[in-house]
Amino acid sequence: MRPVIALACSTALLGACAAPATPLPSPPGPIADSGNDCAVIAAVAKEHYRFNATDNVPPPLWLDDEGSGWAPRCDWSRFGLDFPATHDPDRPHRPGDRIQWVSFKQPRYDGRGALIETGILHGPLAGMGYECRVHSGFAGWTVGECKNTWIS
């Protein structure tokens, strides 16, 4: 009986001598741009458009900064993607040029993940735009839903 009492007393004393617990940090607010832009774009490219690096190669990529200077540097191979060309909206169109691109605007983050505007143009009057909700989770970013925003 005596060892049990001694153990209980020593445990109580150690607890009294221990440093006060450090408070846990408060949960973060809305997710901020912390390098997730490339992963969000890749999720939409792979899940919504079904692009990949082998049998469904995407059209030229247009990261539409809308004049803000947003220009993420992404290692697309890390996401299993390959954008072999880049669309330059300021380059004058030349006769014979194909008019194709897939565009992504800078994602907007909130407490539910991210919203991203995207669009694809297959030809001069053949394209569609979307706003996609992308969720962050254990498996990375995944597309929840994409709503049409324009059709040409």
Side-chain angles (χ1 to χ4, degrees), residues 107-135:
R108 299 180 317 272
Y109 298 92
D110 59 27
R112 294 179 32 217
L115 282 171
I116 185 167
E117 292 178 49
T118 181
I120 188 164
L121 193 68
H122 301 285
L125 296 174
M128 297 178 79
Y130 305 91
E131 181 179 66
C132 296
R133 166 62 65 184
V134 187
H135 304 281

Side-chain angles (χ1 to χ4, degrees), residues 5 23 33 44 59 73 76 78 90 129 131 137 140-141 148 150 152:
I5 294 173
D33 174 15
V44 174
R73 306 264 185 258
W76 297 118
R78 178 177 164 223
D90 297 325
E131 181 179 66
W141 290 93
N148 278 80
W150 59 268
S152 69

Side-chain angles (χ1 to χ4, degrees), residues 26-116:
S26 59
I31 299 170
D33 174 15
S34 57
N36 290 312
D37 291 357
C38 296
V40 168
I41 292 167
V44 174
K46 290 177 74 174
E47 294 176 37
H48 177 71
Y49 292 116
R50 306 277 186 228
F51 295 145
N52 59 50
T54 55
D55 62 345
N56 190 17
V57 179
L61 174 65
W62 176 13
L63 296 175
D64 185 358
D65 71 347
E66 297 184 305
S68 70
W70 172 71
R73 306 264 185 258
C74 304
D75 177 6
W76 297 118
S77 64
R78 178 177 164 223
F79 301 103
L81 290 166
D82 181 23
F83 289 97
T86 303
H87 174 72
D88 179 1
D90 297 325
R91 190 187 76 149
H93 178 72
R94 296 182 306 233
D97 282 351
R98 292 185 75 182
I99 302 173
Q100 290 185 313
W101 45 254
V102 60
S103 70
F104 296 93
K105 293 184 180 178
Q106 185 173 14
R108 299 180 317 272
Y109 298 92
D110 59 27
R112 294 179 32 217
L115 282 171
I116 185 167

Side-chain angles (χ1 to χ4, degrees), residues 6-22:
L7 180 60
C9 289
S10 65
T11 303
L13 287 173
L14 284 175
C17 294
T22 305

